[in-house]
Amino acid sequence: MVNFREYKIGARFFGLALGGSMTITLFMPSFDLRNVNATEVALDKQLWAGHESGFSLDDPFLTGEHRPVRVTLKTDPKTGQPMASTVAYVYPAGTPLPNGVDHPDNLGNIVEQLSRDKGRIGEATKSQGAVFLLSSEPQGDGSKQFYIENASATKGWNPEEVMKAAGDENTYHASYGKAIFVREGCWWCHTLLPEETQDWQVFGAPPMLGDFNGESPTAFGSDRKAPDILHVGSRNSSREWMMLHFFNPRLVQPHSIMPRFDYLWGPIDDKGQKIDFDKWRAEYNEYVDGKRVTPPEVPMYASNSDARALIDFVLSLK
Amino acid sequence: MFKYLFARSEDIPEGSAAVYFGFSAIVWFVIGTGLGAFNASKLAFPDFVTGLEFVSFGHMRQVHVHAVIFGWISMAFAMAMMYMTPALGNTKLWSEKLGIWNAFLWNVGLSLGLTLLWSGMTSGREYSDFPWFIDLYIATFMTIPLGINVWMTVINRKTQGIYTTNWFFASAVFMVSIVFIVGNLPEWFHLTGLTEAYLTWWFAHNVLGLWITPVAAAIAYYTIPKVTGNPLYSHRIGHLHFWSVVVFYSTPAAHHLMSAPLPEWLKSFASVEGVLILVPAVAFVSNILLTMQGKWNMFVENLEIRFTVTGCLMAIPLNMQGGFQQTRAINWYIHGTGWIVAHAHLALLGFSTFLEAAAVYLGLQTLMKRKLYSLTLGNLHFWFLLIGFTTYWVSMTIAGLIQGAGKIYEVPYIDVVMAEHPYMIARWIGGSLVFTGNCFWLYNMWMTARAGTVIPEGRMAHELAYER
């Protein structure tokens, strides 16, 4: 140790330099980033995406365990009476709650207070499950202030009843879809952060401060080998196009370099029949070689397949 | 090597840990570049090996990145530290046994982490893709033990001062542990939103700026004076390099997120600090090139010097790019394009890899007391690496400029993809050349251990003539 004496000044300067750098790059921005109020976009996103889209102990292999779903309700789940179309976010029992419900201070002061007082989010528990709504309160200037409403507390809706009332065709597995997006590395080519170039003119508005509260991971991506898809659902809302594109991108875009994601169909199609991938690929190769006029038919995915969840996610990127 | 895991520290031959680290690094280099070339083939020909989840691009891309950063580059760094730190302190490595365990646990952890990444278990955060328990493992069993060994060796040195290389080593092992722990806070404490995104890039930036860049430079501060016999041109410029790395390189993380809604002051600050990266860069390159005075013949004749100086020369375009491409005006054009991919490879496969390769060549020959088995294979390795890398870099830079033009002038995206196709093929060829060169290297080093000419006591490897 004694030999270090002559380096005392140097060591202190080193601490000062590194500490100063961390103060400026970590401590100071935290004042700007804290207490940003979550926008409608952020609330919607964190409610359908759930607690975590990357690795977490609740879904370690990213296979869709303990994930919320977004449903569109046309009938009241309690009474069965028809009602105006309502979007609800269903967290079955055991599903980790979204970040803004677990840690309401991440919502920003205004949204936090509304969500706590009017939305009663403090009463939601992971063990019981919950149903959330994206509600709004009119403001003096004519705008709306959005907040999270815990419908299990305010309306007495429970997850099972809501799922049943919605039915499979009105259920969107966008949360699991985002986990697949992360797992399959889609974001290595498709960014989720439009830039100040053609993106803002052609692909949609840039994200605002407050559009990301509660999202994890943001998966912005950095390497644009493909178009930005933050707003892809507004450009292209065709489920059939997405299905063909995921099965083999060259079916709809001959020059695409996107990999085939036919393996996300799983072993069986929507009718429970085994999908013969070898036959499909052989016939597709014949089509490419000009021996067939049309490519083989793409099998319809099963309703519990990864392909369905991924398409649900992509179409929810409005 | 495994037999030394449970041997007494004094029974372990000096340099064993460094040799273990060195060979591991080469093996990971072969694996990492092989994966890189395979990935590149898929971007050129998307239907090449298709329909299987485990060989899809999205599953392998991050495995390539982490195999080269934590396998090749970081293990080569550890190897360099294991033999340079004691040599410069005129002492022995503090604990050879800790070094052996460090190398062993490094390989175990990396194999486990890469397997998880490959299977899709990822945090979804670029460069910190490993799930949090792997991050914890890396800090506990990889970087901190390495740091302890380096620090204890520096403290127990038998020289009065501390040579430039050892300042860099000692501070970098400290900084990388801090960067690792702070950069992964989002996973440990579930931080979300912009905080998570910003910390992701804070980590990515600093793992390059406070680990890869300074350690690679520190290696050159050892190899050039050691092999040429010239003293370092200026310790004072070395000081300037060191302090400007700590101050200027640790602050511009926000320049990776210029189009995100981060505070404007932070982006402007990052942009200015980013230009100041030219200060350590100029200090480093000039110091090394001036140390070469009177010994430029060795640039042609000596393999280690050729590798090191080539790496230093690549630091010039690297830092000219790095200093200016993150200013708003230029970032607008090239952000997210292949230009950045080319730049990242210029930093890791160009600048840093060439310096580390020299350190591994020099270290393995010195520690095993064996002259390099074949000069021909060594030369082939150098040229395959240089030509492969250059092909890659030039093709990706052009592809990036095409992409940049495409996004500014609102060209339909698919036209950009089509225009890039030839460059994607060139990229794949470049990557394959690098991979092939590395296979030669692994064979050459293996044969050096088994059949290299014995170096007599007190001589250096480059003083002996090559026999093959």
Side-chain angles (χ1 to χ4, degrees):
Chain A
M1 266 325 169
V2 71
N3 286 344
F4 251 43
R5 194 178 296 148
E6 64 266 38
Y7 289 96
K8 255 187 180 167
I9 296 172
R12 282 175 189 165
F13 268 105
F14 178 76
L16 197 67
L18 200 64
S21 143
M22 289 174 88
T23 304
I24 297 173
T25 59
L26 294 173
F27 186 62
M28 285 166 60
S30 72
F31 289 103
D32 294 273
L33 296 179
R34 263 194 80 79
N35 297 325
V36 171
N37 277 297
T39 58
E40 182 191 1
V41 172
L43 293 176
D44 175 52
K45 197 157 44 175
Q46 69 166 285
L47 285 173
W48 64 247
H51 182 258
E52 169 67 50
S53 311
F55 173 84
S56 88
L57 290 174
D58 293 295
D59 184 11
F61 301 105
L62 309 189
T63 48
E65 286 172 87
H66 302 118
R67 294 211 171 263
V69 291
R70 184 171 68 89
V71 299
T72 311
L73 290 170
K74 298 199 175 77
T75 57
D76 189 303
K78 271 261 171 273
T79 61
Q81 296 301 310
M83 64 174 193
S85 181
T86 307
V87 172
Y89 308 86
V90 186
Y91 284 68
T95 309
L97 298 174
N99 194 52
V101 175
D102 253 353
H103 304 286
D105 54 333
N106 283 334
L107 295 171
N109 289 336
I110 302 167
V111 183
E112 177 187 355
Q113 203 170 7
L114 274 174
S115 305
R116 275 186 196 276
D117 300 346
K118 293 200 73 170
R120 293 166 67 183
I121 54 170
E123 293 167 40
T125 59
K126 179 179 168 180
S127 57
Q128 303 255 299
V131 179
F132 297 105
L133 299 172
L134 178 54
S135 303
S136 63
E137 167 123 315
Q139 299 290 291
D141 60 356
S143 65
K144 286 194 231 167
Q145 178 59 58
F146 287 88
Y147 65 93
I148 301 174
E149 181 181 344
N150 174 12
S152 301
T154 56
K155 293 185 179 358
W157 292 358
N158 77 46
E160 292 77 35
E161 286 169 353
V162 174
M163 298 263 272
K164 215 170 135 203
D168 187 52
E169 69 275 18
N170 292 316
T171 301
Y172 302 89
H173 297 270
S175 172
Y176 179 37
K178 184 166 177 203
I180 296 173
F181 182 82
V182 169
R183 185 187 79 194
E184 297 300 325
C186 308
W187 55 293
W188 293 125
C189 303
H190 291 284
T191 54
L192 291 178
L193 186 65
E195 289 183 29
E196 191 188 348
T197 53
Q198 69 161 346
D199 294 353
W200 289 10
Q201 288 135 31
V202 182
F203 291 169
M208 309 295 283
L209 189 63
D211 276 0
F212 302 103
N213 291 32
E215 187 181 4
S216 177
T218 42
F220 285 155
S222 67
D223 185 1
R224 308 160 48 105
K225 293 186 280 293
D228 187 275
I229 56 166
L230 186 64
H231 304 295
V232 69
S234 310
R235 304 201 288 275
N236 183 347
S237 58
S238 165
R239 206 164 254 281
E240 192 184 3
W241 189 93
M242 293 294 168
M243 177 174 130
L244 298 178
H245 191 244
F246 279 124
F247 199 80
N248 184 338
R250 261 72 63 197
L251 287 174
V252 286
Q253 178 45 267
H255 299 287
S256 170
I257 58 165
M258 188 167 124
R260 299 182 194 181
F261 288 98
D262 47 5
Y263 54 80
L264 294 180
W265 264 241
I268 54 165
D269 64 11
D270 63 327
K271 299 197 181 63
Q273 303 289 320
K274 199 169 178 327
I275 303 174
D276 192 345
F277 288 102
D278 292 335
K279 180 162 166 272
W280 196 95
R281 286 173 196 145
E283 288 178 1
Y284 176 76
N285 289 342
E286 287 172 16
Y287 163 70
V288 172
D289 295 340
K291 290 178 196 149
R292 271 176 73 110
V293 181
T294 54
E297 202 73 22
V298 171
M300 183 64 200
Y301 50 78
S303 68
N304 62 352
S305 62
D306 289 2
R308 187 254 177 106
L310 186 56
I311 293 174
D312 283 352
F313 163 70
V314 171
L315 292 180
S316 73
L317 293 169
K318 294 287 186 192
Chain B
M1 287 300 163
F2 294 108
K3 68 181 178 211
Y4 295 133
L5 286 175
F6 298 103
R8 285 183 308 165
S9 200
E10 50 275 24
D11 294 341
I12 304 173
E14 226 177 299
S16 299
V19 172
Y20 192 0
F21 265 117
F23 271 101
S24 307
I26 302 175
V27 170
W28 283 113
F29 198 18
V30 171
I31 295 171
T33 49
L35 268 171
F38 187 39
N39 285 343
S41 74
K42 297 191 145 236
L43 294 174
F45 307 104
D47 283 332
F48 174 61
V49 191
T50 193
L52 293 165
E53 187 158 9
F54 277 85
V55 289
S56 71
F57 179 85
H59 278 258
M60 295 190 300
R61 197 251 197 209
Q62 64 272 44
V63 182
H64 158 67
V65 170
H66 287 83
V68 291
I69 291 184
F70 292 105
W72 157 237
I73 292 176
S74 297
M75 288 190 94
F77 283 171
M79 187 266 184
M81 289 174 182
M82 296 277 147
Y83 81 90
M84 289 178 187
T85 315
L88 291 167
N90 198 15
T91 182
K92 287 181 177 178
L93 185 65
W94 180 64
S95 168
E96 201 69 50
K97 189 167 176 173
L98 178 64
I100 297 268
W101 271 98
N102 197 186
F104 173 69
L105 292 175
W106 200 299
N107 281 323
V108 170
L110 194 60
S111 309
L112 180 67
L114 293 181
T115 308
L116 296 182
L117 280 190
W118 202 322
S119 69
M121 281 171 74
T122 163
S123 67
R125 301 171 59 235
E126 192 167 358
Y127 288 105
S128 35
D129 311 64
F130 286 128
W132 56 264
F133 53 90
I134 299 290
D135 297 327
L136 202 59
Y137 182 100
I138 291 175
T140 318
F141 297 111
M142 287 155 69
T143 63
I144 292 175
L146 175 68
I148 292 172
N149 226 348
V150 169
W151 273 81
M152 292 311 288
T153 307
V154 171
I155 288 170
N156 290 320
R157 73 192 183 281
K158 298 205 174 65
T159 54
Q160 199 196 352
I162 299 176
Y163 180 67
T164 321
T165 299
N166 277 356
W167 317 330
F168 275 100
F169 282 173
S171 58
V173 288
F174 172 71
M175 291 190 291
V176 75
S177 299
I178 298 284
V179 168
F180 229 90
I181 291 161
V182 175
N184 283 300
L185 287 177
E187 280 166 67
W188 292 328
F189 297 105
H190 197 64
L191 306 180
T192 57
L194 270 183
T195 314
E196 180 258 3
Y198 177 58
L199 274 170
T200 299
W201 286 103
W202 186 90
F203 172 86
H205 178 83
N206 286 328
V207 84
L208 291 165
L210 301 180
W211 173 242
I212 292 174
T213 309
V215 179
I219 285 173
Y221 282 138
Y222 176 85
T223 37
I224 294 282
K226 182 77 186 172
V227 179
T228 60
N230 283 351
L232 182 65
Y233 175 74
S234 165
H235 278 260
R236 203 162 277 187
I237 297 178
H239 271 280
L240 177 65
H241 176 197
F242 177 82
W243 289 105
S244 52
V245 161
V246 175
V247 175
F248 298 141
Y249 219 143
S250 62
T251 40
H255 69 211
H256 292 263
L257 286 170
M258 283 296 196
S259 51
L262 282 175
E264 287 300 315
W265 71 263
L266 185 63
K267 288 196 256 183
S268 300
F269 176 75
S271 197
V272 174
E273 290 286 294
V275 178
L276 290 172
I277 286 177
L278 285 168
V279 176
V282 172
F284 165 66
V285 173
S286 54
N287 212 357
I288 292 296
L289 297 186
L290 287 167
T291 305
M292 283 296 291
Q293 278 174 334
K295 294 287 169 63
W296 278 100
N297 60 316
M298 293 186 94
F299 181 42
V300 181
E301 293 160 7
N302 181 283
L303 194 61
E304 290 83 36
I305 293 292
R306 199 190 310 150
F307 265 108
T308 311
V309 172
T310 310
C312 290
L313 292 175
M314 286 199 222
I316 298 171
L318 171 71
N319 290 292
M320 294 309 278
Q321 285 189 337
F324 293 110
Q325 72 192 10
Q326 40 79 39
T327 57
R328 285 172 195 245
I330 302 177
N331 193 266
W332 169 71
Y333 199 88
I334 47 115
H335 180 258
T337 67
W339 173 287
I340 302 294
V341 182
H343 173 75
H345 282 79
L346 180 58
L348 298 183
L349 179 57
F351 159 70
S352 136
T353 282
F354 277 72
L355 303 180
E356 290 134 28
V360 175
Y361 267 113
L362 179 66
L364 285 181
Q365 292 179 76
T366 311
L367 297 167
M368 301 191 302
K369 299 188 179 62
R370 293 283 184 282
K371 175 81 176 171
L372 188 65
Y373 174 70
S374 162
L375 175 64
T376 313
L377 284 175
N379 282 335
L380 274 176
H381 178 221
F382 175 83
W383 288 109
F384 268 69
L385 227 58
L386 186 62
I387 295 171
F389 160 73
T390 310
T391 311
Y392 185 102
W393 185 72
V394 170
S395 63
M396 285 312 291
T397 300
I398 299 173
L401 291 172
I402 294 172
Q403 273 177 291
K407 71 177 184 180
I408 303 299
Y409 297 112
E410 298 181 26
V411 175
Y413 207 92
I414 195 64
D415 292 341
V416 175
V417 172
M418 288 159 71
E420 282 184 301
H421 183 60
Y423 304 99
M424 290 295 148
I425 297 175
R427 168 192 209 170
W428 168 53
I429 293 171
S432 305
L433 287 176
V434 170
F435 170 63
T436 313
N438 287 336
C439 294
F440 294 153
W441 190 24
L442 182 58
Y443 173 76
N444 201 9
M445 272 306 164
W446 181 252
M447 290 309 288
T448 302
R450 296 179 69 94
T453 311
V454 175
I455 301 172
E457 199 63 46
R459 311 301 300 199
M460 288 181 63
H462 69 267
E463 294 169 345
L464 269 66
Y466 284 100
E467 292 186 6
R468 290 169 201 86

